[in-house]
Amino acid sequence: MTTAVRGTLLAAAPLLSLVPLMADAYARTGSDAPTTDATCVFNGHGTFADAVEPGGVRVPVADTLVVTGTVSCVDQGGAPVASGKFARTVTVPAARCTGDEHGDTSSTTVYWSDTAISTFELDRTEVVKVNGTASLDVSGHVAANSARFADDTVRGLGTSTGAGCGTSAGERAVDSTLVLRFGR
C-alpha cells in the first residue's frame, strides 16, 4: 500500500474519494468490479485478549481481538445510505508486532441506526504489520438473512495502528479504519 493510500485511509477522507480507490483495488486483483450497493467506512477500537509481544518477546501467538466502532455508508453517487455501530470478533492465528499474519477470520454484526441488523463474515484477511501498524486486505460475504446488503460480497482495504510493541506491557489495543465495498 502506498503512503498516499494509507494516509487517505487513516484520515478517512471524504467518502466520494474512496469509491475510485476501491474500483482500483478490484482492477489490481484482476476481478471485474461488481455492482456496488454501498461503500462503507468502519472506524473502530479493538482490544486484544492477550497482549502482543509483551516484554519484546517476538514469538507469534494465537489471540482474539474484539473491535467496536461506527460505520457510515454511501451509495455509488456519494449519497448517505446507512450508518450505525458495529462489533467484530477477530481470531488472529499469529499475532505479532511485525510480519505477515494470514488466515485471520472475523464475524461482524452491524447495528444500523434504524435498528436493523446485518451480519457479514470476512473469510480472507491478509495483514502485514510493521511495528504495530498494519495494512489490511479483506474479502467475504454478507449473510442472507441480513437487513441490508444480504448476499452481497464484501471487499475492502484498511489500516490499524497500536502502541506497546516491544514494551513490558505489549500491544493491548488497536485503532482501525476499514473501507468496505458491498456489491454483487
Side-chain angles (χ1 to χ4, degrees):
M1 231 163 84
T2 67
T3 302
V5 171
R6 182 174 294 161
T8 299
L9 292 172
L10 284 173
L15 295 177
L16 285 175
S17 68
L18 296 174
V19 174
L21 171 69
M22 292 305 298
D24 182 54
Y26 279 102
R28 284 188 313 236
T29 62
S31 63
D32 293 330
T35 301
T36 301
D37 290 331
T39 300
C40 302
V41 176
F42 288 74
N43 290 302
H45 178 77
T47 305
F48 286 101
D50 297 306
V52 178
E53 294 187 3
V57 177
R58 299 197 178 273
V59 176
V61 296
D63 208 339
T64 301
L65 177 65
V66 176
V67 183
T68 58
T70 60
V71 58
S72 54
C73 304
V74 297
D75 64 15
Q76 284 185 326
V81 293
S83 64
K85 297 182 184 241
F86 74 92
R88 173 186 306 131
T89 300
V90 182
T91 301
V92 185
R96 56 187 163 187
C97 293
T98 299
D100 291 338
E101 299 173 15
H102 297 281
D104 308 353
T105 59
S106 65
S107 176
T108 301
T109 303
V110 179
Y111 305 92
W112 301 106
S113 56
D114 64 359
T115 70
I117 297 175
S118 294
T119 302
F120 64 90
E121 303 291 329
L122 295 179
D123 43 46
R124 185 192 66 79
T125 301
E126 293 193 27
V127 178
V128 177
K129 198 169 183 184
V130 178
N131 297 326
T133 299
S135 65
L136 313 166
D137 185 355
V138 301
S139 62
H141 65 281
V142 179
N145 63 349
S146 292
R148 284 196 175 81
F149 316 122
D151 291 323
D152 275 7
T153 58
V154 177
R155 178 88 173 93
L157 300 170
T159 61
S160 72
T161 57
C165 286
T167 67
S168 59
E171 182 181 64
R172 294 212 161 266
V174 296
D175 291 303
S176 62
T177 299
L178 188 60
V179 180
L180 298 179
R181 175 178 274 177
F182 293 86
R184 298 180 188 273

